[in-house]
């Protein structure tokens, strides 16, 4: 599993969290995507760019109180097969 981002903090009152992606692959936070975390799999229900980061809502986290429990989580996903991409672990 590759680290693709980190949840930094909740945003607003409707369950959005701020995600700092460490990848340029926007499909990582596309609706329907599943990201792994220490709390188990998280399914993206919506996402939008906001001031250089992403505001994401995960299934089952519909309010600020529940979203606060996600702060600090590292998000991971399987690698994407792309024959034209150069990956860090390929360089090592």
């Amino acid at each position: 599993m590759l680290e693709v981002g980190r949840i930094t903090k909740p945003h607003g009152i409707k369950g959005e969290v701020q995600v700092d992606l460490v990848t340029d692959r926007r499909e990582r936070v596309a609706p329907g995507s599943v990201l792994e975390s220490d709390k188990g799999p998280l399914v993206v229900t919506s996402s939008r760019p906001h001031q250089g980061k992403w505001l994401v809502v995960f299934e089952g986290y519909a309010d600020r109180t529940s979203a606060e429990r996600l702060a600090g989580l590292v998000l991971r996903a399987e690698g994407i097969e792309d024959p034209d991409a150069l990956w860090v672990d390929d360089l090592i």
Side-chain angles (χ1 to χ4, degrees), residues 8-23:
T8 57
K9 62 182 183 177
H11 179 86
I13 60 171
K14 296 183 179 179
E16 286 183 311
V17 291
Q18 190 175 66
V19 174
D20 187 10
L21 286 180
V22 294
T23 177

Side-chain angles (χ1 to χ4, degrees), residues 63-77:
D63 59 26
R64 184 177 182 94
T65 303
S66 61
E68 286 174 345
R69 295 190 302 251
L70 299 175
L73 284 180
V74 173
L75 301 171
R76 295 177 293 277

Side-chain angles (χ1 to χ4, degrees), residues 14-74:
K14 296 183 179 179
E16 286 183 311
V17 291
Q18 190 175 66
V19 174
D20 187 10
L21 286 180
V22 294
T23 177
D24 61 348
R25 306 298 295 248
R26 293 178 171 209
E27 63 265 29
R28 295 295 195 183
V29 290
S33 298
V34 179
L35 300 171
E36 293 294 327
S37 75
D38 291 341
K39 291 191 182 249
L42 297 171
V43 179
V44 177
T45 58
S46 68
S47 66
R48 62 188 172 102
H50 177 72
Q51 297 179 354
K53 299 189 187 282
W54 286 85
L55 296 179
V56 179
V57 176
F58 292 105
E59 189 175 281
Y61 297 89
D63 59 26
R64 184 177 182 94
T65 303
S66 61
E68 286 174 345
R69 295 190 302 251
L70 299 175
L73 284 180
V74 173

